[in-house]
Amino acid sequence: MRVVLLGAGNLGYHLATFLVEQAVDLLQIFNRTPQAAVRLSDQLGGCPFTTDYVTIVPDADLYIIAVKDDAIPKVAEQLTKALGSAIFIVHTSGAVSSNVLAPFTTNYGSFYPLQTFSKEVAVDFQQIPICLTADTASNLLLLEKLSQKIGCTSYIITDAQRKTLHIASVFACNFTNYLWGISKELLETEDLPYEIIHPLIKETVRKALINSPVDVQTGPAIRRDEATMLSHLEYLKSEPDLMKIYQLISERIAGKPFENKLTEL
Amino acid sequence: MRVVLLGAGNLGYHLATFLVEQAVDLLQIFNRTPQAAVRLSDQLGGCPFTTDYVTIVPDADLYIIAVKDDAIPKVAEQLTKALGSAIFIVHTSGAVSSNVLAPFTTNYGSFYPLQTFSKEVAVDFQQIPICLTADTASNLLLLEKLSQKIGCTSYIITDAQRKTLHIASVFACNFTNYLWGISKELLETEDLPYEIIHPLIKETVRKALINSPVDVQTGPAIRRDEATMLSHLEYLKSEPDLMKIYQLISERIAGKPFENKLTEL
């Protein structure tokens, strides 16, 4: 399995490192600018790199585009201009349909690692589900072989499923993280350490992973404890956005609106 | 340390079990109705119980009221009617000021285990921070001794701090759990298993506990990727509440409103 990786950003960095660790034959790294490419090449013990499309290795089994969503078509266009329209290209994005590659090549798909990547945080790639989409059965097979080689669990999904997955991840990951941030801010206004609610967060996630979250919902909203909810909204009144978030989510949990009372505040 | 526990509900059950395990002298359990009291008494190897205030043991060091928030004053009133107004009473509520006990006794406070309790889920009580409030230094000392005896980390907090803590917990625990529920529902509409995002949830919480959540925020909103956000809102258009939650939280994360564009949908 001979792979070329395009993009030495956050995901590209983690993915390339892991591919090499798992003895995948990473032929070359491409990056638009040299700085990140040099850094990644060094990290990989001198893996060849280029910043010029015309010097990209032509005979790889797979070209993985790991760049920002809106740059994917442009990279695919340049890549196929240099290497022809028969190469197998996948992107790594949750938000973009694999069809964006269709104008450029007859072999395309998506290799989407469902995880959140931060620059300086090491990830255990083998714990990451890889979501695979391809235009043909044989291309899908090649992606499955790559997943197997690197020891990842893979799921074969459609573009529509990947879109849903991405939206579900925004709720389950990005938004929950934001709520923890709100929580930390609220605690700090009263000189309470963020660590005080760590055990609560851990237990909440533990229960939500071994149950259906709806079955282990707790708190004032599910008890329809309007006195407590009103007192919380009163407390939040200097922060209209937080009030709105509190009210909206509480009403959804309670399964009924109580706007008349809340808007009295 | 001689303790009487009032309330054999969810928290009462877990707390009593733990106190006895940690060799606290639990003199008696009170519950308004016999059924739960009998069950708990059996669980504790025959701990005495009563359903009648006049037979409550009069000489305990501490009376812990673990009942629903709105029943706390009534229980305190009946208890002090039977035993006088010098006994030391605490409640276990995050939402209620310890002052609600002040009309009934000269010794009062709060013993608030900061955790989420589900009936059939065993909890590791020693991992739970206990938040302590009391009207006098000597009463506080007694609560601290109890926390120490049972091996828990305790925090001395004011009523105002406990209220903030409770609100912060609603955001950090109840609301995040609800978002995971939304996420699961979205996945199911596309025949995707909830388990597919478990690694993502685990990694998100892991990062949020070793960092400040705001420093590890990821997703379309923090990138101000409006194309992706608009496409997600379009996808959610049959669910106006989810659209509103998505828009509100995304705008907060992005640090700017983009209402004109979003309300075009």
Side-chain angles (χ1 to χ4, degrees):
Chain A
M1 181 89 55
R2 297 151 54 84
V3 174
V4 168
L5 178 77
L6 296 98
N10 203 352
L11 172 59
Y13 181 90
H14 287 294
L15 180 57
T17 305
F18 185 65
L19 291 176
V20 170
E21 270 172 27
Q22 299 301 310
V24 171
D25 194 3
L26 185 62
L27 302 179
Q28 193 181 39
I29 303 152
F30 168 88
N31 201 63
R32 197 171 46 85
T33 55
Q35 195 180 358
V38 169
R39 189 185 69 131
L40 181 51
S41 170
D42 287 350
Q43 157 84 7
L44 300 175
C47 177
F49 70 89
T50 179
T51 59
D52 186 354
Y53 287 98
V54 299
T55 58
I56 292 181
V57 177
D59 56 349
D61 300 305
L62 181 66
Y63 295 81
I64 302 177
I65 299 182
V67 302
K68 285 196 204 312
D69 291 352
D70 53 6
I72 293 169
K74 202 177 51 191
V75 171
E77 185 181 12
Q78 296 294 319
L79 180 61
T80 50
K81 212 186 249 179
L83 301 185
S85 61
I87 58 171
F88 184 18
I89 310 179
V90 292
H91 70 54
T92 54
S93 164
V96 170
S97 170
S98 64
N99 289 326
V100 302
L101 301 169
F104 310 111
T105 175
T106 50
N107 296 292
Y108 60 89
S110 173
F111 185 88
Y112 173 44
L114 182 58
Q115 192 50 277
T116 165
F117 298 93
S118 295
K119 270 206 187 71
E120 306 307 329
V121 182
V123 287
D124 181 359
F125 231 97
Q126 258 152 358
Q127 299 303 315
I128 302 176
I130 312 283
C131 302
L132 307 177
T133 309
D135 59 339
T136 66
S138 62
N139 284 335
L140 202 52
L141 199 65
L142 192 142
L143 297 181
E144 281 189 282
K145 274 189 190 157
L146 178 60
S147 294
Q148 270 167 26
K149 181 162 177 64
I150 64 179
C152 291
T153 303
S154 63
Y155 294 84
I156 296 166
I157 63 171
T158 64
D159 280 313
Q161 284 178 315
R162 196 172 58 260
K163 178 161 191 171
T164 302
L165 200 44
H166 192 229
I167 297 170
S169 304
V170 169
F171 280 94
C173 157
N174 305 149
F175 289 177
T176 53
N177 184 72
Y178 186 71
L179 294 182
W180 292 320
I182 290 176
S183 178
K184 180 167 182 284
E185 265 179 47
L186 290 169
L187 293 172
E188 283 167 357
T189 60
E190 277 285 350
D191 295 320
L192 290 161
Y194 175 44
E195 289 66 30
I196 199 172
I197 58 160
H198 280 192
L200 181 60
I201 292 173
K202 285 180 196 166
E203 176 66 5
T204 303
V205 72
R206 193 185 69 80
K207 285 204 291 190
L209 292 179
I210 56 172
N211 298 279
S212 184
V214 70
D215 294 336
V216 290
Q217 184 65 54
T218 58
I222 192 74
R223 293 195 305 269
R224 296 184 176 185
D225 176 353
E226 296 201 4
T228 296
M229 288 189 278
L230 285 167
S231 108
H232 289 177
L233 285 166
E234 171 77 31
Y235 180 94
L236 297 169
K237 68 185 173 192
S238 66
E239 293 255 34
D241 285 351
L242 295 192
M243 280 185 78
K244 272 188 232 160
I245 292 172
Y246 188 102
Q247 179 168 347
L248 252 170
I249 299 183
S250 293
E251 286 183 351
R252 287 279 299 198
I253 295 173
K256 63 166 195 174
F258 31 88
E259 283 178 56
N260 290 338
K261 284 198 179 170
L262 297 191
T263 49
E264 275 168 24
L265 290 171
Chain B
M1 181 87 57
R2 297 151 52 86
V3 173
V4 168
L5 178 76
L6 297 97
N10 202 351
L11 172 58
Y13 181 90
H14 287 293
L15 180 57
T17 306
F18 184 65
L19 291 176
V20 169
E21 271 171 26
Q22 298 301 310
V24 171
D25 196 2
L26 184 62
L27 301 179
Q28 194 182 37
I29 302 151
F30 167 89
N31 201 62
R32 197 171 47 83
T33 55
Q35 196 181 358
V38 169
R39 188 184 69 130
L40 181 50
S41 169
D42 286 351
Q43 158 84 8
L44 301 175
C47 176
F49 71 90
T50 179
T51 59
D52 186 355
Y53 287 98
V54 298
T55 59
I56 291 179
V57 176
D59 56 350
D61 299 304
L62 181 65
Y63 295 81
I64 301 177
I65 299 183
V67 302
K68 284 194 203 314
D69 291 351
D70 53 6
I72 293 169
K74 202 176 53 190
V75 170
E77 185 181 15
Q78 295 294 319
L79 179 62
T80 49
K81 211 187 249 178
L83 302 186
S85 61
I87 59 172
F88 184 18
I89 310 179
V90 291
H91 69 56
T92 54
S93 166
V96 170
S97 170
S98 64
N99 289 328
V100 302
L101 301 169
F104 311 111
T105 176
T106 50
N107 296 291
Y108 59 89
S110 174
F111 184 89
Y112 173 43
L114 182 59
Q115 192 48 279
T116 166
F117 298 94
S118 295
K119 267 200 188 76
E120 306 307 331
V121 182
V123 286
D124 181 1
F125 230 96
Q126 257 152 356
Q127 299 303 314
I128 301 176
I130 310 282
C131 302
L132 308 176
T133 309
D135 59 338
T136 67
S138 63
N139 284 337
L140 203 52
L141 199 65
L142 191 141
L143 296 182
E144 281 189 283
K145 275 189 188 158
L146 178 59
S147 293
Q148 270 166 25
K149 183 165 174 62
I150 63 180
C152 290
T153 303
S154 62
Y155 293 83
I156 297 167
I157 64 172
T158 64
D159 280 314
Q161 285 178 314
R162 197 169 58 258
K163 178 160 192 173
T164 301
L165 200 43
H166 192 228
I167 296 170
S169 304
V170 169
F171 280 94
C173 157
N174 307 148
F175 289 176
T176 53
N177 184 72
Y178 185 70
L179 294 182
W180 292 321
I182 289 176
S183 178
K184 180 167 182 286
E185 265 179 48
L186 290 170
L187 293 173
E188 284 167 356
T189 60
E190 278 284 350
D191 296 320
L192 290 161
Y194 175 44
E195 288 67 30
I196 198 171
I197 58 161
H198 281 193
L200 182 60
I201 292 174
K202 284 181 197 166
E203 177 66 6
T204 303
V205 72
R206 192 185 70 79
K207 285 204 293 190
L209 292 178
I210 58 175
N211 298 280
S212 185
V214 72
D215 293 337
V216 289
Q217 185 67 54
T218 58
I222 192 75
R223 293 195 305 270
R224 296 184 176 186
D225 175 353
E226 297 201 2
T228 297
M229 288 189 277
L230 286 166
S231 109
H232 288 177
L233 285 165
E234 172 76 31
Y235 180 94
L236 296 169
K237 68 184 173 193
S238 64
E239 293 255 33
D241 285 353
L242 295 192
M243 279 184 78
K244 272 188 232 161
I245 292 171
Y246 188 102
Q247 179 167 347
L248 252 170
I249 299 183
S250 293
E251 286 182 351
R252 288 278 300 196
I253 294 172
K256 64 166 195 175
F258 28 90
E259 280 178 61
N260 290 339
K261 286 200 180 171
L262 297 192
T263 50
E264 275 168 24
L265 291 170

